[in-house]
């Protein structure tokens, strides 16, 4: 009997030593310790033994079972350690290898300057207004005192979605939308994309950007407008900046003006940059037309306001001496990497 038990023990140990994975281990466990396993089968011999022999034999079988169990545990640990070692070996990182260069993007020049403009106006108590790029004819033209047959529509030809829905040609409709839902005091700027049916050349693009400004309150005058806009120009272009206001016409402001900046290149003498003018046009502005105020439910006898519209591309081109508007939209990294 004893020999048989020893033979089983040795066979089990040899089988465990050969195991390379958990599956093989389980097969060994079932073969010896399972319900129909060899060690379990030994118990059936008990019946043939005498009363004195039984406990001795029982003890021997239990010892055998414990020995195989310990063998299983040891083999399991050996297999797990080997697997971990193999995994660590495969996943070794060679810290001396050269790293992959990370290309870091930059802010687009239009955004660099837009963020500055926002900072300047936020610092003067303005907040940011918004409106849709696909706009009703009513907001883009009609409510801004540009009826259907008004000649001002010719200079702002756009893309029509339908008779009454257009891609906005200017950010000025945001003035109307703001005044409709907010009562004075109002002090906003509203940057955004605008569209015109223009052929592409060095100074024209069917898509460009404007920054609208609107202030409405009691006792707002043209001198408030001039003060704020001159301050804006000095903050953006430097203290030495000289500006002038020139009468102009916009249907939604009365009186209207354009603000020019003295050419920073020739100091007003006239050069190539300013096309011999000595001055560079920066923005359109004026006192909000009483008809526009009325249209938005604001009493022009009680309130007055001023508005302005800055062409973002134009001020960025002046700032960085860029001479072709197309550069902004071509996404050529050699161009884009020059600004921060
Ligand atoms: N919307 C005008 C344009 O696209 C610019 C402009 C002029 C806006 C005068 C204004 C303004 O708010 O008061 O030409």
């Amino acid at each position: 009997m004893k020999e048989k038990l020893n033979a089983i023990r040795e066979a089990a140990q040899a089988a465990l030593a050969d195991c390379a994975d958990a599956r093989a281990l389980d097969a060994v466990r079932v073969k010896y310790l399972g319900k129909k396993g060899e060690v379990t089968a030994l118990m059936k011999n008990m019946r043939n033994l005498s009363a004195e022999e039984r406990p001795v034999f029982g003890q021997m079988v239990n010892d055998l079972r414990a020995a195989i169990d310990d063998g299983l545990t040891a083999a399991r640990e050996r297999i797990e350690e080997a697997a971990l070692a193999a995994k660590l070996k495969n996943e070794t990182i060679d810290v001396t290898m050269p790293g992959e260069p990370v290309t870091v993007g930059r802010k687009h020049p239009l955004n660099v300057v837009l963020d500055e403009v926002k900072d300047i106006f936020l610092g003067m108590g303005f907040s940011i207004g918004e409106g849709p790029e696909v706009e009703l004819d009513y907001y883009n033209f009609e409510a801004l005192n540009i009826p259907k047959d008004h000649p001002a529509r010719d200079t702002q030809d756009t893309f029509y979605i339908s008779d009454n829905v257009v891609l906005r040609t200017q950010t000025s409709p945001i003035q109307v939308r703001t005044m409709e839902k907010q009562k004075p005091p109002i002090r906003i700027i509203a940057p955004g994309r605008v569209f015109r049916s223009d052929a592409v050349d060095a100074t024209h693009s069917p898509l460009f950007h404007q920054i609208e400004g609107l202030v409405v309150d009691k006792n707002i005058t043209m001198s408030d407008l001039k003060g704020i806009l001159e301050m804006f120009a000095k903050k953006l272009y430097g203290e030495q900046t000289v500006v002038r206001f020139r009468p102009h016409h916009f249907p939604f402001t009365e009186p209207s003006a354009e603000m020019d900046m003295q050419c920073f290149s020739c100091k007003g003498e006239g050069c190539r940059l300013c096309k011999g003018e000595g001055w560079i046009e920066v923005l359109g502005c004026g006192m909000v037309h009483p008809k526009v105020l009325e249209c938005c439910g604001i009493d022009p006898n009680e309130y007055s306001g001023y508005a302005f519209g800055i062409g973002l591309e134009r001020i960025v081109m002046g700032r960085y001496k860029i001479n072709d508007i197309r550069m902004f939209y071509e996404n050529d990294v050699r161009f884009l990497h020059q600004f921060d």
Side-chain angles (χ1 to χ4, degrees):
M1 224 36 206
K2 206 165 182 177
E3 291 79 60
K4 184 157 188 210
L5 262 65
N6 275 337
I8 294 178
R9 181 190 299 242
E10 272 162 31
Q13 268 163 2
L16 286 172
D18 281 346
C19 285
D21 57 29
R23 231 170 141 183
L25 269 186
D26 206 49
V28 174
R29 186 187 58 78
V30 172
K31 180 162 190 264
Y32 293 97
L33 306 184
K35 261 195 198 143
K36 293 180 186 158
E38 292 185 24
V39 177
T40 319
L42 285 173
M43 291 306 222
K44 290 179 189 142
N45 295 329
M46 292 279 239
R47 258 180 273 135
N48 311 324
L49 299 176
S50 67
E52 298 86 63
E53 286 172 320
R54 273 184 203 170
V56 182
F57 181 70
Q59 185 61 48
M60 280 161 66
V61 174
N62 278 346
D63 288 349
L64 174 60
R65 180 181 285 278
I68 296 177
D69 229 5
D70 288 349
L72 275 166
T73 308
R76 186 173 302 118
E77 281 169 7
R78 169 177 58 76
I79 290 169
E80 281 172 2
E81 269 168 31
L84 181 64
K87 196 168 171 210
L88 286 175
K89 193 166 170 229
N90 281 339
E91 291 178 0
T92 325
I93 297 170
D94 181 355
V95 291
T96 63
M97 288 228 307
E100 279 180 33
V102 182
T103 28
V104 179
R106 284 173 203 225
K107 258 199 232 173
H108 192 281
L110 290 175
N111 274 326
V112 174
V113 177
L114 176 57
D115 284 349
E116 259 178 59
V117 173
K118 281 187 192 165
D119 270 355
I120 294 172
F121 281 105
L122 290 176
M124 298 195 287
F126 284 66
S127 50
I128 309 278
E130 274 182 25
E133 290 172 10
V134 179
E135 185 56 285
L136 291 172
D137 181 284
Y138 174 78
Y139 288 108
N140 195 76
F141 296 121
E142 209 87 18
L144 288 166
N145 202 20
I146 313 174
K148 283 256 188 280
D149 52 3
H150 196 287
R153 289 206 179 200
D154 287 351
T155 57
Q156 300 203 3
D157 193 15
T158 183
F159 303 95
Y160 284 81
I161 307 282
S162 69
D163 273 357
N164 285 322
V165 180
V166 301
L167 295 189
R168 68 178 177 202
T169 59
Q170 46 185 349
T171 42
S172 304
I174 303 174
Q175 290 185 26
V176 181
R177 287 184 174 274
T178 307
M179 286 189 278
E180 270 184 359
K181 56 177 197 275
Q182 188 186 332
K183 292 304 146 206
I186 294 170
R187 188 175 281 120
I188 57 144
I189 58 160
R193 240 188 261 177
V194 299
F195 307 85
R196 291 193 194 173
S197 176
D198 283 340
V200 178
D201 65 24
T203 53
H204 292 88
S205 160
L207 179 159
F208 58 102
H209 300 79
Q210 290 187 337
I211 305 159
E212 195 72 15
L214 174 70
V215 172
V216 184
D217 203 348
K218 287 186 173 145
N219 304 318
I220 297 286
T221 67
M222 190 92 184
S223 53
D224 296 310
L225 174 155
K226 288 177 77 176
I228 286 281
L229 291 179
E230 184 170 349
M231 176 113 89
F232 158 70
K234 290 193 161 165
K235 290 203 176 196
L236 189 67
Y237 286 109
E239 269 310 308
Q240 72 295 344
T241 308
V242 181
V243 295
R244 76 172 181 192
F245 289 82
R246 185 166 39 76
H248 199 76
H249 171 261
F250 296 105
F252 40 89
T253 44
E254 181 59 35
S256 305
E258 278 193 328
M259 186 177 90
D260 299 333
M261 178 176 77
Q262 198 177 65
C263 179
F264 43 79
S265 180
C266 63
K267 299 268 175 291
E269 295 287 310
C271 68
R272 257 189 32 220
L273 188 74
C274 57
K275 302 200 183 84
E277 295 280 319
W279 296 87
I280 298 168
E281 184 192 317
V282 179
L283 53 85
C285 57
M287 301 305 291
V288 182
H289 199 293
K291 270 196 179 171
V292 177
L293 290 174
E294 238 165 44
C295 196
C296 302
I298 294 177
D299 182 358
N301 295 317
E302 195 178 347
Y303 293 103
S304 55
Y306 64 84
F308 54 90
I310 306 168
L312 179 60
E313 276 78 357
R314 176 167 295 170
I315 59 172
V316 182
M317 287 167 85
R319 164 78 162 269
Y320 295 121
K321 307 198 170 52
I322 296 165
N323 56 14
D324 195 325
I325 197 171
R326 288 169 287 202
M327 304 296 276
F328 289 129
Y329 317 114
E330 282 172 356
N331 287 336
D332 185 334
V333 287
R334 292 169 303 178
F335 168 74
L336 296 174
H337 267 206
Q338 298 176 49
F339 313 94
D340 350 63

